[in-house]
Amino acid sequence: MGEIHIDLDGLLDTFFEEAEEHLNTFETGLLELEATPSDPEVIGRIFRAAHSIKGASGTFGLTDITSFTHALETVLDRLRAREIDYSADVARALLASVDVLRGLVRAARESAPPPAEAVPVRAMLEQFYRPSGTQKAAAEATAAAPAEAAGRKVRVRFSPKPEFMCRGMDPLAILRDVADCGEVESRQVDASALPELSELDPESFYLTFTLVMRTERSDAEIAEAFGFVDDLCTFAIEPVAEEARPDPAAGEQPAPADESGPAALVAKDGPPAARDAKTPAAASTIRVATEKVDKLLDLVSEIVIAQAMIVDATRAPGPDAETRLNDALQALDRHTRELQERVMSIRMVPLASVFGRLPRMVRDLAGTIGKKVQLVVEGEGTEIDKSMVEQLADPLTHLVRNAIDHGLEFPEQRAEQGKPTEGTVRIRAFHQGGNVVIEVGDDGKGLDSKQIRAKAERLGLVTAEEVLTDEQIHDFIFHAGFSTAAKVSDVSGRGVGMDVVKRNVEALKGSLSLSTEMGRGTQVRLRLPLTLAIVDGLAVRVGAQTFVVPLLSVLESFRPTPTQVRAVLGASEVIDIRGTSVPVIRLHELLDEPNAERDPSKALLCIVEANGTSLALLVDDVIGQAQFVVKSLEVNYRKVPSLMGATILGDGRVAMIIDVQSLARTDHRSRSVAADTEAMIPVSEVA
Amino acid sequence: MNTARAITPAAAPVNERNQYLSFALGDDEYAIDILRVQEILCICPITPLPQTPHHVRGVMNLRGAVVPVVDMRAALGLNSEEYGKFTVIMVLSVHERTIGFVVDRVSDVLSFDASAIERSPDLGGRVDASVVSGIARTQDRFVVMLDLERLIGADVGVGVA
């Protein structure tokens, strides 16, 4: 039911995703052009990105996007042909176009009206069209106003291979693109390859099309219509003698077996860019290297063998059966672990997709506030789980914005201090011990501890008497409300939304630290897990239930003496750990688990820490440490407070993974909240 | 399985006759649209969740997916019963989620003419009728059709009960 619909939606989503990537490529390319205004390779890349968007949007009938990219292409085409220069005006129009296209894509995604800027920006683009003459005529022709037949006459033969449709291509969209190149005089379809109905494979393609048209475009330009499908079809573009009628025999020819013939016909006078057109599509749609898939297949066959060995060892008992079984199990264990790692690696994407957005933001922001900024990005190839990449965009943008806005000084100030007038914002990403570390640093003025402390005192976050280390003082800038209350200029540095950054990073189970030196700059360091899909955890038993506590937050576990746990106000319990009172959370009360050990001195306390808060979880026993696959509860249910998700244990049962951060957050207020929650909710005194 | 009198040859047009899965809670018979049914399982280990409404018994492992389990008796405000050997979990799709429902037993696949279902019956003031989408009567049966979307809120809380 409705499968076709779902499929289309899926394809559209892919298009939107790819469009976003192409736009990033486009934008990055434009910024590169600022340094090397006429680099043909960069222009080619930009052109291909625009063309990819145009082609795909045409397939989906997103005419707003198609027609806008068409205008864009016209300008890019002139740029590529060196008919115009990459002037400041052109740059402005093209950068504005990126924003408009983003808006158009968003509008298409949300079925919203197209952005208002589309019209003025398009007018900006049209200024750079060839002022008069043939190009204009061609452009008008595409706007369905057939211009007077100018130019030469060509015959375009297009013969898709049988698998054309299976690859999701629309031959009509290609034909439309070809037809857009000029004025079509005749169209022919050759159905001679069509087999008997009984032999017809409904998913194969059997037709060959022939168009005879007048065009101003070169063969290479027409060939661009086939840019994405040139491995899926054969096509030929041949000049037609003026008086000649379209040759009826031409259509009857079977698709030429020799592909290189017609393609070579184009390639010989076409710029290389036209032939390269399929490269970006391949790079962005095939997300997994074939090699990775091959490795997976190898592993799967290893696992099948190991499984057969196990079956063999259990079926054919013999003196060595036990040894064989153990060997097979070990092999299975090794291969499964490797399979897991490899599948995980497929989910990994380079950080470049997030970093790619930053140069534009830096350029715009630097221009607006009048600072000179050099952005240095290192390690954009560092890979991180796909699901995390999106959520990193906001915090990173924030950090870079802060670094420029509040970290870097104005050029004059920098000159006075003997620094280069151009400030540097450096982003560095690398792997470290199973984590991804991202550093955002600047060579600006650094944080002024005195001013931050003064602000914190004014806000009542700290008393004047308290002795704090510099780190503790710097931590205040992550305090919610600190920045909004303070004029950022007051605090000599960062502030805007740092609490939001911190929250975002913590939502990704990451941590954040800051180092700064007056006059030298500030560096914020994000440490993130590679993935949210697997967690290293400590399995603990509570009655009949098993819980998983993320290992990252576990400090220690021990059995308390009978007097160590003390009741406060008859309800809360605390334990004294090296002079600090740590609240005790009875996990069995979370679940109303009747069979759990209630006497702490007969159970274990597992000390966990999150956000600087420690908690002592009362559990019956510690089972052991392992990796757990995190399953979302939200897919079929909803978010459950104090749980990060669930996992499936070796015996098939579901176990809960505790979210220590949320447990730590809710603990302080919950006791009163629990009292007025409905009796329907099973005991929730703690969480 | 005893065949309901209402079941007729398959030639009947689909748009007029719909199929339902009937299940029992005690002596009462209920039915839901059969297109919702993904599968029916024997009762399996259920892991309780903290901070959930009383009728959500916890979650189970459905071939790797974590699926909430709702006790149908509790959701309808009936007395709870010990789970026995006929107790089953009907895995249904509700609100585009996959949810397991514990019922005493599953009885039949029924087929009713649309006209045989009495819509919005008058149940007297004692029960909330909005979770009942209709009542089907045949000579020997009285089947309550449930509106699961209304019974179970979008967050798997009980919408009305």
Side-chain angles (χ1 to χ4, degrees):
Chain A
M1 262 175 58
E3 265 168 25
I4 292 168
H5 179 73
I6 290 165
D7 236 348
L8 246 186
D9 277 357
L11 284 177
L12 255 180
D13 281 345
T14 312
F15 164 70
F16 291 136
E17 222 170 85
E18 285 181 16
E20 190 54 43
E21 282 170 22
H22 290 312
L23 282 169
N24 289 340
T25 311
F26 192 98
E27 193 169 54
T28 320
L30 289 179
L31 296 172
E32 276 176 48
L33 277 190
E34 308 233 302
T36 49
S38 57
D39 186 336
E41 202 176 295
V42 179
I43 296 176
R45 192 166 355 116
I46 295 173
F47 192 89
R48 287 194 295 276
H51 191 73
S52 302
I53 297 171
K54 179 175 132 176
S57 64
T59 312
F60 288 105
L62 303 169
T63 45
D64 282 346
I65 300 176
T66 318
S67 91
F68 191 87
T69 21
H70 184 82
L72 196 56
E73 263 188 26
T74 313
V75 177
L76 289 171
D77 200 30
R78 298 205 62 203
L79 204 60
R80 191 168 65 174
R82 306 232 175 138
E83 291 170 4
I84 51 173
D85 289 330
Y86 191 69
S87 64
D89 283 344
V90 175
R92 205 173 306 118
L94 291 178
L95 280 171
S97 305
V98 176
D99 296 336
V100 168
L101 270 176
R102 283 220 172 92
L104 285 170
V105 170
R106 202 177 311 118
R109 193 173 214 162
E110 291 157 11
S111 312
E117 310 85 62
V119 177
V121 173
R122 197 183 167 135
M124 266 162 84
L125 288 174
E126 280 168 0
Q127 295 172 44
F128 306 108
Y129 281 19
R130 198 165 299 167
S132 63
T134 50
Q135 179 79 12
K136 202 174 165 198
E140 275 168 14
T142 62
E148 71 275 32
R152 65 211 178 92
K153 205 168 183 180
V154 293
R155 174 163 50 236
V156 182
R157 198 174 62 235
F158 169 44
S159 166
K161 290 188 184 169
E163 66 267 28
F164 196 81
M165 304 284 267
C166 305
R167 298 276 291 269
M169 297 298 171
D170 178 2
L172 290 180
I174 310 282
L175 283 176
R176 269 198 298 274
D177 276 358
V178 175
D180 278 351
C181 295
E183 194 192 338
V184 178
E185 293 189 346
S186 77
R187 299 177 173 84
Q188 272 194 333
V189 180
D190 171 21
S192 59
L194 210 58
E196 288 295 310
L197 191 57
S198 57
E199 281 153 30
L200 184 123
D201 173 3
E203 296 193 341
S204 290
F205 201 83
Y206 301 100
L207 306 177
T208 296
F209 304 94
T210 310
L211 295 184
V212 175
M213 59 195 288
R214 278 189 184 281
T215 182
E216 268 299 310
R217 313 273 181 102
S218 68
D219 285 354
E221 281 173 308
I222 298 170
E224 268 170 23
F226 302 102
F228 298 106
V229 295
D230 60 359
D231 56 337
L232 285 175
C233 70
T234 50
F235 63 95
I237 302 162
E238 301 155 354
V240 179
E242 270 307 309
E243 271 72 43
R245 301 292 306 152
D247 182 3
E252 276 162 35
Q253 280 172 12
D258 174 22
E259 307 175 40
S260 62
L265 202 145
V266 174
K268 68 169 192 268
D269 61 347
R275 294 281 300 146
D276 287 347
K278 69 170 184 206
T279 335
S284 59
T285 50
I286 302 173
R287 313 280 169 119
V288 182
T290 333
E291 190 194 334
K292 281 189 177 177
V293 179
D294 290 346
K295 284 258 170 62
L296 283 184
L297 199 62
D298 289 350
L299 269 173
V300 170
S301 43
E302 292 290 323
I303 289 174
V304 171
I305 293 168
Q307 190 243 1
M309 282 162 66
I310 293 171
V311 172
D312 185 60
T314 47
R315 282 215 188 125
D320 62 337
E322 197 174 325
T323 325
R324 281 187 291 141
L325 186 62
N326 275 333
D327 288 351
L329 284 174
Q330 266 176 25
L332 189 64
D333 179 59
R334 202 169 50 240
H335 296 319
T336 319
R337 207 172 323 120
E338 197 175 339
L339 183 67
Q340 178 198 325
E341 277 166 20
R342 293 212 182 268
V343 173
M344 288 312 302
S345 81
I346 287 179
R347 290 176 54 96
M348 297 291 175
V349 293
L351 279 165
S353 53
V354 196
F355 290 173
R357 305 171 193 189
L358 298 173
R360 171 78 188 278
M361 202 251 332
V362 169
R363 176 192 189 270
D364 289 355
L365 184 64
T368 314
I369 60 178
K371 289 182 184 173
K372 286 190 183 164
V373 185
Q374 188 200 7
L375 180 71
V376 181
V377 179
E378 290 170 30
E380 62 262 61
T382 311
E383 292 187 328
I384 193 164
D385 195 284
K386 191 168 174 25
S387 61
M388 297 174 77
V389 162
E390 269 308 303
Q391 299 174 65
L392 268 176
D394 272 359
L396 274 180
T397 312
H398 240 114
L399 287 175
V400 174
R401 191 183 286 275
N402 265 323
I404 296 170
D405 199 6
H406 310 304
L408 295 181
E409 310 89 337
F410 285 95
E412 314 82 68
Q413 293 165 326
R414 292 182 67 90
E416 281 168 25
Q417 293 166 34
K419 290 183 181 179
T421 52
E422 190 176 57
T424 303
V425 173
R426 187 179 296 274
I427 302 176
R428 209 155 76 91
F430 54 94
H431 285 290
Q432 194 182 62
N435 288 305
V436 172
V437 177
I438 304 175
E439 292 172 347
V440 178
D442 63 62
D443 63 347
K445 54 196 158 202
L447 294 179
D448 185 338
S449 305
K450 283 201 196 87
Q451 283 190 353
I452 294 175
R453 169 151 200 156
K455 188 80 211 171
E457 283 173 15
R458 236 176 301 149
L459 287 169
L461 298 171
V462 63
T463 56
E465 294 79 43
E466 267 180 87
V467 182
L468 293 177
T469 62
D470 275 357
E471 281 96 72
Q472 283 171 315
I473 294 172
H474 297 149
D475 265 352
F476 284 122
I477 69 168
F478 295 115
H479 201 279
F482 188 83
S483 51
T484 42
K487 272 270 171 273
V488 282
S489 47
D490 290 352
V491 247
S492 86
R494 292 134 195 280
V496 178
M498 288 299 264
D499 58 316
V500 179
V501 172
K502 188 171 185 192
R503 256 207 314 278
N504 282 339
V505 171
E506 280 172 357
L508 292 170
K509 311 292 164 209
S511 64
L512 190 144
S513 62
L514 182 142
S515 59
T516 184
E517 199 179 331
M518 277 283 273
R520 297 290 294 276
T522 307
Q523 189 180 59
V524 178
R525 177 185 257 247
L526 315 182
R527 182 181 285 275
L528 298 155
L530 281 174
T531 175
L532 297 180
I534 290 188
V535 66
D536 276 312
L538 192 67
V540 297
R541 190 175 60 80
V542 179
Q545 300 300 329
T546 305
F547 284 91
V548 174
V549 185
L551 205 56
L552 207 67
S553 49
V554 178
L555 298 178
E556 57 180 324
S557 55
F558 59 90
R559 171 162 298 169
T561 60
T563 51
Q564 239 177 325
V565 175
R566 298 204 191 96
V568 180
L569 300 172
S572 320
E573 289 172 299
V574 294
I575 178 161
D576 181 73
I577 295 171
R578 288 179 284 277
T580 321
S581 294
V582 174
V584 174
I585 295 195
R586 289 171 173 262
L587 280 184
H588 64 86
E589 287 184 348
L590 261 178
L591 287 175
D592 205 12
E593 172 63 46
N595 302 319
E597 181 56 62
R598 271 140 216 281
D599 181 354
S601 63
K602 290 178 182 157
L604 285 177
L605 282 177
C606 185
I607 312 298
V608 295
E609 189 262 353
N611 300 351
T613 317
S614 293
L615 297 172
L617 307 179
L618 182 68
V619 302
D620 289 13
D621 207 351
V622 170
I623 300 171
Q625 175 191 338
Q627 288 199 319
F628 298 92
V629 178
V630 183
K631 303 267 179 180
S632 157
L633 286 169
E634 285 152 84
V635 175
N636 288 309
Y637 186 48
R638 61 184 177 196
K639 176 126 188 69
V640 178
S642 63
L643 295 186
M644 199 170 112
T647 189
I648 291 171
L649 300 173
D651 62 1
R653 280 182 311 137
V654 180
M656 298 301 138
I657 305 175
I658 293 191
D659 182 350
V660 176
Q661 294 186 351
S662 106
L663 205 58
R665 256 200 311 274
T666 43
D667 180 54
H668 307 295
R669 314 162 222 153
S670 59
R671 275 156 229 267
S672 55
V673 177
D676 51 38
T677 337
E678 279 179 81
M680 276 185 94
I681 296 172
V683 185
S684 52
E685 285 177 271
V686 229
Chain B
M1 277 203 191
N2 53 334
T3 312
R5 193 157 303 173
I7 294 175
T8 50
V14 191
N15 54 348
E16 286 185 23
R17 294 182 73 82
N18 290 318
Q19 290 200 305
Y20 300 86
L21 179 72
S22 76
F23 60 90
L25 299 175
D27 293 331
D28 300 328
E29 199 166 14
Y30 298 82
I32 41 144
D33 186 348
I34 202 157
L35 294 177
R36 290 185 181 283
V37 181
Q38 293 182 5
E39 59 191 290
I40 295 164
L41 306 169
C42 293
I43 196 85
C44 62
I46 297 171
T47 302
L49 290 170
Q51 295 205 330
T52 40
H54 173 61
H55 67 277
V56 179
R57 284 294 138 92
V59 286
M60 64 171 178
N61 169 15
L62 182 70
R63 291 184 302 280
V66 176
V67 167
V69 180
V70 171
D71 186 295
M72 190 66 101
R73 283 179 165 272
L76 289 170
L78 306 175
N79 300 331
S80 58
E81 285 273 328
E82 282 283 310
Y83 295 166
K85 64 175 178 177
F86 292 110
T87 309
V88 291
I89 299 176
M90 304 190 294
V91 180
L92 310 177
S93 54
V94 184
H95 292 294
E96 295 177 354
R97 289 161 194 270
T98 302
I99 302 172
F101 288 85
V102 180
V103 297
D104 291 5
R105 63 184 180 278
V106 169
S107 1
D108 264 325
V109 175
L110 304 176
S111 189
F112 290 116
D113 274 331
S115 58
I117 299 170
E118 186 191 337
R119 297 290 167 190
S120 55
D122 183 4
L123 300 177
R126 290 197 24 234
V127 268
D128 187 333
S130 67
V131 302
V132 174
S133 65
I135 286 182
R137 284 195 186 87
T138 63
Q139 274 183 317
D140 53 358
R141 285 183 181 234
F142 181 88
V143 183
V144 178
M145 310 273 186
L146 290 180
D147 183 340
L148 289 176
E149 243 92 35
R150 292 201 69 132
L151 177 63
I152 300 297
D155 58 351
V156 199
V158 173
V160 196

